[in-house]
Amino acid sequence: MTDNSTTLQLAFDLLSRDSITPDDKGCQDLMIQRLEALGFSIQRLPFGDVDNFWAVHGTEGPILCFAGHTDVVPTGPAELWKYPPFEPVIVDGVLFARGAADMKGSLAAMVTACEHFLSQHREHNGRIAFLITSDEEGIAVNGTVKVMDWLAQQDEKIDWCIVGEPSSSNTVGDVIKNGRRGSLGCRLAIKGIQGHVAYPHLALNPIHAFAPALAELSAEKWDNGNEFFPATSFQVSNINGGTGATNVIPGDLVVIFNFRFSTELTEQDLRQRTEGILNKHGLDYLIEWNLSGLPFLTSSGELINATVKAIKDVAKIDTELSTAGGTSDGRFIAPTGSQLVELGPVNSTIHKVDECVLAADLDTLSHIYENIMIDLLS
């Protein structure tokens, strides 16, 4: 470890803690200690069993916020890993550990970027902030969303936000996320009448009743997308019906499906059109909707320009703007009007056994973050 950079040393310290969501296991204490030494003011914001903190350096002007999470997903069977998942190791230039890519490597790079920047720009313009949670990989109800509520109560607003999610595809910085699709989930319960398969006239098969509606929902063209987003997609993830017996018509059917939708549609559009199709087919149903995130987009602005330039200057590549992938905590921040990008390591091993990143990529990432601060705050 003594031969590693300060970024890698901090990454090792963070990765050695088994902070499986929502447990932080002291990761935030490590970050807070480093940030307090730089003069950041710290506000710890625990909600329920979740640790969060808000840190600020500077007293006035626009806020550039680094946002991220200390929690990681479970490892799966540890014996399937080449190396123990919470004993980080670098082998042939590759750093292995749960959270290396998602996203403790980014957290380490954010902290050391600030250390380098503040060593040269103590009297910088604006403010630097950190919004860190241990509730991103789980149900995400006591984390970033609660901190954003608290910030609103303080009449505080984030102007620019860098989320450290692993955005890159092949090399660090080749892709940044400047938006995400919305996610609308649904649990649909369709009522039928249970009976004997030999007497279908005395029963009502909810699977048969739903089949034409499912065909229509699957074939529906919800929108055409736009220059930033693909067309909205409808996907069924679960269908459950039947007693397990081969001679019983089921009395009910439960279907779980999801929309990933663009800025071309609203949640209400999707709900109304879906229920219109169900009603047209005369189904007896109960429906429960769950909106886990609205679509958001930063199409242009100072943050995009600074990020693209920093990647070009440091990594010597042209970056691609993308809105692909799932949701992130950016969905809680961007709707407040913040310009937001997601920039982090290569994402090819996230949530997998043997999660890893190129060790050198974390130093590159730290330098990119630092250059963004130089552009926006100096």
Side-chain angles (χ1 to χ4, degrees), residues 1 4 7-20 23-28 30 70 72 75 81 84-90 95-100 103-105 107-108:
M1 283 304 302
N4 285 328
T7 301
L8 285 169
Q9 289 177 31
L10 178 54
F12 265 64
D13 289 341
L14 293 169
L15 292 166
S16 298
R17 297 170 182 263
D18 58 340
S19 55
I20 296 172
D23 292 329
D24 171 69
K25 292 296 181 73
C27 291
Q28 292 181 23
L30 290 174
T70 54
V72 298
T75 64
W81 287 64
F86 294 108
E87 297 178 19
V89 61
I90 297 175
L95 170 59
F96 290 89
R98 170 59 85 224
M103 59 172 285
K104 293 180 180 179
L107 297 180

Side-chain angles (χ1 to χ4, degrees), residues 256-332:
I256 298 174
F257 57 86
N258 178 268
F259 289 100
R260 293 300 166 102
F261 63 104
S262 75
T263 50
E264 294 295 301
L265 292 172
T266 67
E267 171 200 4
Q268 199 60 35
D269 291 333
L270 291 170
R271 292 175 59 158
Q272 289 176 349
R273 288 171 62 180
T274 299
E275 292 174 21
I277 290 171
L278 298 175
N279 293 336
K280 183 173 74 173
H281 289 275
L283 298 172
D284 183 2
Y285 67 90
L286 293 174
I287 194 164
E288 299 174 8
W289 294 97
N290 177 40
L291 178 68
S292 57
L294 292 169
F296 62 88
L297 177 70
T298 299
S299 59
S300 61
E302 306 94 345
L303 180 60
I304 292 284
N305 294 339
T307 304
V308 170
K309 182 177 183 299
I311 292 169
K312 183 69 170 179
D313 290 344
V314 175
K316 310 303 181 186
I317 58 175
D318 295 317
T319 193
E320 172 192 348
L321 302 182
S322 171
T323 61
T327 60
S328 77
D329 273 3
R331 69 190 188 273
F332 303 125

Side-chain angles (χ1 to χ4, degrees), residues 27 44 92 95 156 173 175 179 203-204 226 237 239 248 259 293-294 296 299 306 333 355:
C27 291
R44 293 178 183 266
D92 296 328
L95 170 59
E156 199 66 271
V175 176
L204 175 62
N226 54 39
S237 57
I239 295 183
V248 178
F259 289 100
L294 292 169
F296 62 88
S299 59
I333 302 169
E355 180 180 350

Side-chain angles (χ1 to χ4, degrees), residues 10-127:
L10 178 54
F12 265 64
D13 289 341
L14 293 169
L15 292 166
S16 298
R17 297 170 182 263
D18 58 340
S19 55
I20 296 172
T21 190
D23 292 329
D24 171 69
K25 292 296 181 73
C27 291
Q28 292 181 23
D29 288 337
L30 290 174
M31 296 181 67
I32 287 171
Q33 182 179 13
R34 298 284 280 264
L35 294 174
E36 283 183 329
L38 294 173
F40 278 79
S41 61
I42 309 294
Q43 182 70 51
R44 293 178 183 266
L45 298 167
F47 297 107
D49 58 354
V50 173
D51 291 313
N52 309 283
F53 76 84
W54 171 255
V56 181
H57 191 280
T59 58
E60 61 182 8
I63 293 177
L64 170 60
C65 176
F66 291 100
H69 59 91
T70 54
D71 58 323
V72 298
V73 295
T75 64
E79 63 271 18
L80 297 181
W81 287 64
K82 293 178 184 177
Y83 312 100
F86 294 108
E87 297 178 19
V89 61
I90 297 175
V91 179
D92 296 328
V94 178
L95 170 59
F96 290 89
R98 170 59 85 224
D102 190 12
M103 59 172 285
K104 293 180 180 179
S106 295
L107 297 180
M110 290 171 176
V111 171
T112 59
C114 287
E115 291 173 340
H116 297 153
F117 175 77
L118 290 172
S119 70
Q120 301 295 322
H121 304 88
R122 195 66 190 176
E123 301 301 324
H124 57 83
N125 299 324
R127 290 171 284 172

Side-chain angles (χ1 to χ4, degrees), residues 165-178 307-324 341-348 358 361 364-365 368-369:
E165 289 293 342
S167 63
S168 305
S169 293
N170 298 303
T171 186
V172 66
D174 61 352
V175 176
I176 60 174
K177 301 295 176 65
N178 65 323
T307 304
V308 170
K309 182 177 183 299
I311 292 169
K312 183 69 170 179
D313 290 344
V314 175
K316 310 303 181 186
I317 58 175
D318 295 317
T319 193
E320 172 192 348
L321 302 182
S322 171
T323 61
V341 298
E342 297 176 22
L343 169 60
V346 173
N347 56 27
S348 58
L358 286 176
D361 280 357
T364 299
L365 187 60
I368 292 171
Y369 290 155

Side-chain angles (χ1 to χ4, degrees), residues 198-270:
Y199 301 94
H201 59 290
L202 300 178
L204 175 62
N205 193 320
I207 299 174
H208 294 186
F210 178 60
L214 175 58
E216 187 168 344
L217 289 167
S218 301
E220 180 77 2
K221 189 170 187 178
W222 302 95
D223 61 30
N224 295 313
N226 54 39
E227 62 176 315
F228 296 104
F229 290 95
T232 293
S233 71
F234 164 86
Q235 291 294 320
V236 173
S237 57
N238 289 272
I239 295 183
N240 296 288
T243 65
T246 61
N247 60 351
V248 178
I249 294 170
D252 50 50
L253 174 70
V254 175
V255 183
I256 298 174
F257 57 86
N258 178 268
F259 289 100
R260 293 300 166 102
F261 63 104
S262 75
T263 50
E264 294 295 301
L265 292 172
T266 67
E267 171 200 4
Q268 199 60 35
D269 291 333
L270 291 170

